[in-house]
Amino acid sequence: KFYQQEKMGNVVIASPNECKVVSGCGGSQYKVGESFFVCCLLQQWRKIGLNLITLEVTSVDVETSHGVKLTVKGICQVKVKTTKVDENGNVTLDHENVRLAAQHFLGQPESEIAEALQLTMEGHQRQVLGTLNVEEIYKDREAFASKVMEGVMSDLHGMGYEIVSYVVVDVKDSNGYMDALGATQTALVKREAAEGVARNESEQRKKVAEFQAQADIVESQQASAARIEVEARKNDATIAVNKQKEMAADSEKILEIKKANNNAEVNKQREMAVAAGQIEKARQQQIVRKEQTQQEVEEQLIRVKVAEQMALQAQEEAKGVSLAELVEKRNKAEATKVEAEAQAAKIRAFATAEADKIAAIGSSEAAAIEAKGMAEAKVLKEKNQTFQYMGEAGLASTIVERLPEIASAIAAPLSQTEKMVFISQDSATGSKVTNDIIKTIATMPEAVEGLTGIDLKGAIQKAVENGPKGLKM
């Protein structure tokens, strides 16, 4: 039925999973996935499948290298190798492999092909099992499969087939060797696992204790460092606060001192200004009163003169002076009166001018006093220089020349006495007064020496000794 579906007269179609081999006139042709024309009398075609063939390769009771019998089951995938890569990297149909597969299996059903391939695979699997021990097969199945594939590859290639995959799915034995090996390994693994667990638990406890101790040490160190840092910061803060308070107190103290100094200076200047104003006011009032008094004196004098003229006029009238003389005298009196009033006005103006002048002079009185003081200091300085130049003898000579004046000054109060009454039992009272004056003058050299440090008697004695030869004390 399948053959009838594909045959359409002389045109044959090959699907992608099969290869149709045309033989006859013109040689053999291999068609995959294409349509072609077949001459019925000169050519014929048959097919070979290109599908993947799954093989279950089982090797029963095969002795290993140590004589242990094993049963190994593997699954293998094989197919006809239909493609190859040319030098340019293009994939093309591999006619050589297709030809080999066609030579061996063309026209055979797939079951027969699978049986032939399975026997080949089983033979190589048994061969490889004989070269390995149980542990190598059991522990490294991938290495076992690789060795099987390496051994069977050349045989399959000679048949036009290739291995797509091969895996070992089961390894077992009928003598219990695998179970014992598994039990031993299991016990070993369990023992190692228990030892590892115990060792790890011990190491874990040890590490936990070490880490806990380190954590406690670090925590204690951090806590101690934190306390130290906190105390240090508290101390720094306290010191800073105290410094701020001290600076604030110093600032307030300086401010209060400056305020007190300013207030004292202001009060001093205010009192000085008030005192100066009062002094100047009193001085000006005194000057004004003085001028007013002088003006009143002048006015009284004028009034006296007027009264005298009026008295003289009345006396003349009483004596019977002629009318013309009286008129003349009256005119003179009036003229004197007018002159006196003019003089009074002049005096008042002069007094006002003097008052203004004195007020102006009062503002410069301080400067005048200062200049006077400087002048007096200069005079004293010059006197001092003169005295230093004159020496002790010159000073003594000057003092001696002044002795008569000093004696006169001492006796001056007696010259003002109009009458002196002496009560005494002898007649020597008057001479006692004279003796007292002489004694007072005799104490002058000691007084001069006490005040100035100059030995007046010694200076006079030296002057006499250095003077004319005939002069004696």
Side-chain angles (χ1 to χ4, degrees):
K1 184 178 179 181
F2 181 75
Y3 175 75
Q4 292 176 354
Q5 288 178 351
E6 291 181 341
K7 186 175 180 181
M8 298 175 62
N10 294 329
V11 178
V12 181
I13 300 174
S15 61
N17 63 341
E18 63 180 1
C19 177
K20 291 185 176 180
V21 182
V22 181
S23 58
C25 181
S28 298
Q29 298 177 10
Y30 304 94
K31 304 295 183 180
V32 178
E34 59 179 330
S35 62
F36 56 92
F37 179 79
V38 177
C39 182
C40 297
L41 298 177
L42 301 177
Q43 295 176 324
Q44 65 174 354
W45 61 271
R46 284 183 294 182
K47 69 175 182 177
I48 182 171
L50 303 180
N51 292 328
L52 193 67
I53 300 174
T54 302
L55 304 176
E56 183 176 333
V57 183
T58 304
S59 300
V60 179
D61 294 336
V62 180
E63 291 184 359
T64 63
S65 60
H66 291 169
V68 179
K69 294 181 179 181
L70 293 178
T71 299
V72 178
K73 181 180 180 181
I75 302 298
C76 180
Q77 306 287 343
V78 296
K79 65 181 290 295
V80 178
K81 186 177 181 181
T82 58
T83 59
K84 66 178 179 178
V85 180
D86 59 10
E87 296 178 354
N88 297 325
N90 299 321
V91 179
T92 59
L93 182 64
D94 191 352
H95 293 281
E96 183 64 23
N97 283 328
V98 175
R99 184 183 64 81
L100 290 174
Q103 288 178 353
H104 291 94
F105 302 107
L106 184 63
Q108 294 182 9
E110 185 175 342
S111 59
E112 294 180 0
I113 298 172
E115 183 179 359
L117 296 174
Q118 183 175 2
L119 292 174
T120 302
M121 287 293 302
E122 184 179 353
H124 283 280
Q125 182 172 282
R126 294 175 68 91
Q127 183 180 356
V128 173
L129 285 172
T131 62
L132 300 175
N133 56 36
V134 178
E135 287 79 4
E136 291 175 347
I137 298 170
Y138 179 77
K139 292 181 179 179
D140 197 353
R141 295 183 181 186
E142 185 177 357
F144 168 71
S146 298
K147 289 184 177 181
V148 173
M149 291 176 65
E150 290 175 359
V152 77
M153 188 73 70
S154 60
D155 293 344
L156 292 180
H157 182 68
M159 297 177 186
Y161 280 79
E162 64 179 348
I163 297 177
V164 177
S165 68
Y166 172 74
V167 294
V168 178
V169 296
D170 188 20
V171 177
K172 62 183 179 179
D173 70 305
S174 59
N175 300 321
Y177 183 84
M178 295 290 294
D179 295 337
L181 183 64
T184 303
Q185 186 67 25
T186 301
L188 179 62
V189 170
K190 287 183 178 180
R191 187 189 70 185
E192 292 178 353
E195 291 176 355
V197 169
R199 186 169 54 252
N200 290 332
E201 288 180 353
S202 176
E203 188 69 22
Q204 179 182 3
R205 289 192 295 271
K206 181 179 179 181
K207 292 293 184 182
V208 169
E210 290 179 357
F211 292 153
Q212 186 64 37
Q214 292 178 359
D216 294 338
I217 293 171
V218 171
E219 184 178 0
S220 177
Q221 291 176 351
Q222 291 179 351
S224 178
R227 288 194 298 272
I228 294 172
E229 184 68 20
V230 169
E231 294 297 330
R233 292 186 178 276
K234 286 183 178 180
N235 293 332
D236 294 340
T238 304
I239 293 171
V241 170
N242 293 333
K243 287 184 177 179
Q244 292 292 333
K245 290 182 179 180
E246 184 178 356
M247 292 174 64
D250 293 339
S251 178
E252 291 179 358
K253 179 181 178 181
I254 294 172
L255 180 61
E256 293 297 331
I257 291 173
K258 288 184 177 180
K259 285 182 178 180
N261 293 333
N262 293 332
N263 292 332
E265 186 67 23
V266 170
N267 293 331
K268 180 180 178 181
Q269 295 295 331
R270 185 184 292 113
E271 294 297 331
M272 289 176 63
V274 172
Q278 292 178 355
I279 291 171
E280 185 63 26
K281 182 177 180 181
R283 185 183 294 110
Q284 296 297 330
Q285 290 177 355
Q286 183 178 5
I287 294 170
V288 171
R289 284 196 298 271
K290 181 178 179 181
E291 294 298 328
Q292 289 177 353
T293 303
Q294 185 68 28
Q295 183 178 355
E296 290 176 358
V297 170
E298 296 293 335
E299 290 179 355
Q300 291 296 332
L301 292 176
I302 294 171
R303 290 192 186 95
V304 170
K305 289 182 180 181
V306 171
E308 290 179 352
Q309 292 294 330
M310 292 178 68
L312 183 59
Q313 180 180 357
Q315 185 178 5
E316 292 296 331
E317 288 178 356
K319 290 180 178 181
V321 182
S322 62
L323 182 59
E325 292 177 352
L326 291 173
V327 171
E328 183 179 359
K329 291 181 179 180
R330 187 179 298 168
N331 290 334
K332 289 181 179 181
E334 290 293 332
T336 304
K337 181 179 179 181
V338 172
E339 183 180 358
E341 291 177 355
Q343 185 69 24
K346 181 178 180 181
I347 291 171
R348 283 194 296 273
F350 178 76
T352 303
E354 287 295 326
D356 294 337
K357 179 179 179 181
I358 291 170
I361 292 171
S363 62
S364 61
E365 185 176 356
I369 292 171
E370 183 179 2
K372 182 179 178 181
M374 292 178 66
E376 290 177 353
K378 185 176 180 181
V379 171
L380 291 175
K381 182 178 180 181
E382 291 178 353
K383 285 183 177 181
N384 188 20
Q385 292 177 354
T386 303
F387 290 156
Q388 291 178 358
Y389 176 76
M390 291 171 63
E392 187 176 359
L395 292 175
S397 177
T398 303
I399 295 172
V400 170
E401 292 177 356
R402 296 290 182 178
L403 286 178
E405 296 181 3
I406 295 172
S408 298
I410 294 172
L414 295 176
S415 64
Q416 302 296 327
T417 304
E418 295 181 355
K419 184 179 181 181
M420 297 178 65
V421 177
F422 298 98
I423 301 173
S424 177
Q425 296 179 356
D426 54 9
S427 59
T429 302
S431 61
K432 288 182 179 180
V433 175
T434 304
N435 291 332
D436 292 335
I437 294 172
I438 293 172
K439 289 179 180 179
T440 302
I441 295 173
T443 59
M444 285 300 297
E446 288 78 2
V448 171
E449 184 177 2
L451 294 173
T452 63
I454 298 173
D455 186 3
L456 187 59
K457 293 180 178 180
I460 295 172
Q461 183 66 33
K462 290 179 182 179
V464 172
E465 292 176 353
N466 295 329
K469 298 180 179 180
L471 182 60
K472 295 182 179 180
M473 290 296 291

